[in-house]
Amino acid sequence: MIKKAALNNYEKDLINSKSLKEIIPYFAGKKIHYFLRTNSTQDTAKGLADTGEKEGTVVLAERQSYGRGRFSRNWFSPRGGLWFSIILYPKISPEKNLQFSLITAISLCETLGKMFNIKPLIKWPNDIIYNEKKLGGILVESALISNRVKWTIIGAGLNVNNVLSAGIRKKAVSLKSILRYRINRTKLLAEILKNYYFNYKIFKIKGFKYFRTKFQRYSFLNNKNIKVEEGGRIYSGVVKEIDENGFLWIRLKNKIIRKILAGTILKYE
Ligand code: BTN
């Protein structure tokens, strides 16, 4: 049985449709599809994109039954977090998923900085880190038709007011545990989306080049010794920079500089 007090707290914290209505006019006709529960906002968004839903449409869920991260890892999505996906139809080459991940990460960090005066960092290519722990993650998926992008879905998950289980707490952190108060997720979502649409507009005109210096400011891996896995091979070296395509350059132990196009960071120190 759910206790009444707990239920009230839950209801108070819901991103209810009334508060969503307040922020929707903000987004120049863009729609937000809101669910109490969905399997994954990524999949719901894909279904909508397949039927031609408008660019910029957002799918938002209080909980996801099968939220997922990169490489199909489970993404724990209980109530109180911010779990959403944005539908885009970019007219750019399909290799740009990495850059989408990086500009989304920049948008999240900028918004959190402005709203709460904290400085989360980006662990290339898709992690939002605070005090060495994971505050959020980004998943970008695209569908292609004869080598052109049909749609791109930007998924973002942010630990906000959600409770983290003891196991997860070793590696992850929530905004509420950092700030020590309950966060208004509707306002937070509104600011994130506002900033994201703004950055996306610039990105379409100027490309990732424009965001490179911003990225360096938030880069968690700069000058760190890392072990990274790319295409089944493991490389160890020191992170030098992110280039204007968003690729990661590392100096290997034998002094050779290597460009990592897509990878998973296995270790850093
Ligand atoms: C990662 O760190 O590997 C990425 C996590 C992305 C999670 C978000 S939550 C909203 C959207 N729906 C999903 O199933 N995943 C993304």
Side-chain angles (χ1 to χ4, degrees):
M1 199 178 86
I2 306 172
K3 284 198 183 124
K4 202 163 179 232
L7 191 68
N8 284 346
N9 259 343
Y10 177 44
E11 281 173 351
K12 231 177 19 203
D13 196 39
L14 284 180
I15 300 185
N16 58 48
S17 47
K18 208 172 134 213
S19 52
L20 277 179
K21 265 189 206 133
E22 283 166 25
I23 65 166
I24 286 171
Y26 230 17
F27 300 121
K30 292 183 180 75
K31 261 198 232 160
I32 300 186
H33 293 267
Y34 169 72
F35 297 87
L36 282 177
R37 187 189 276 275
T38 183
N39 282 344
S40 157
T41 55
Q42 288 296 99
D43 297 338
T44 313
K46 283 178 189 177
L48 289 166
D50 276 333
T51 56
E53 185 58 280
K54 257 194 184 170
E55 160 131 327
T57 295
V58 173
V59 176
L60 167 73
E62 294 288 353
R63 302 179 195 198
Q64 300 182 111
S65 309
Y66 302 100
R68 57 171 196 277
R70 282 176 88 217
F71 310 111
S72 303
R73 290 182 193 126
N74 285 339
W75 180 264
F76 185 55
S77 322
R79 71 187 194 211
L82 212 43
W83 326 121
F84 65 95
S85 301
I86 309 174
I87 299 173
L88 300 177
Y89 304 100
K91 289 187 186 57
I92 50 180
S93 70
E95 303 92 54
K96 298 278 163 77
N97 275 6
L98 167 67
Q99 298 181 5
F100 275 108
S101 176
L102 301 179
I103 63 157
T104 309
I106 292 170
S107 306
L108 288 175
C109 289
E110 281 179 342
T111 307
L112 294 172
K114 269 188 224 149
M115 284 185 80
F116 306 115
N117 200 23
I118 57 171
K119 191 171 180 212
L121 297 173
I122 304 164
K123 180 150 83 59
W124 185 94
N126 73 314
D127 287 345
I128 307 295
I129 301 286
Y130 188 85
N131 270 350
E132 310 253 330
K133 288 184 173 181
K134 188 148 167 165
L135 179 59
I138 292 146
L139 175 67
V140 181
E141 297 173 303
S142 290
L144 305 180
I145 311 179
S146 55
N147 213 33
R148 289 193 51 201
V149 175
K150 184 180 173 204
W151 45 249
T152 294
I153 309 291
I154 314 280
L158 205 56
N159 296 315
V160 184
N161 297 323
N162 50 306
V163 178
L164 302 166
S165 64
I168 291 182
R169 236 177 286 149
K170 286 185 205 132
K171 289 190 185 163
V173 68
S174 69
L175 259 184
K176 189 180 167 203
S177 68
I178 298 168
L179 299 167
R180 308 210 173 275
Y181 59 83
R182 188 174 280 271
I183 285 88
N184 179 328
R185 289 177 306 145
T186 314
K187 275 196 194 142
L188 174 58
L189 176 70
E191 290 303 320
I192 291 173
L193 293 176
K194 198 165 74 164
N195 193 20
Y196 181 77
Y197 294 138
F198 179 77
N199 282 337
Y200 178 51
K201 241 190 216 165
I202 301 177
F203 174 64
K204 280 196 283 190
I205 302 165
K206 302 197 173 178
F208 182 73
K209 249 192 290 186
Y210 175 88
F211 292 93
R212 188 178 167 211
T213 3
K214 278 194 182 196
F215 182 87
Q216 301 289 6
R217 230 179 283 150
Y218 292 112
S219 177
F220 173 76
L221 293 176
N222 272 358
N223 298 318
K224 285 199 165 59
N225 256 308
I226 64 161
K227 207 181 239 188
V228 56
E229 192 262 345
E230 187 191 44
R233 296 192 64 180
I234 294 177
Y235 303 95
S236 297
V238 178
V239 171
K240 297 319 292 172
E241 62 165 353
I242 299 281
D243 69 15
E244 53 185 44
N245 294 308
F247 300 137
L248 183 78
W249 290 75
I250 59 174
R251 194 180 63 230
L252 304 177
K253 287 195 177 118
N254 59 11
K255 304 261 188 310
I256 289 176
I257 306 279
R258 178 158 189 108
K259 179 166 71 170
I260 307 291
L261 306 183
T264 305
I265 310 296
L266 302 175
K267 214 174 146 189
Y268 59 83
E269 53 196 21

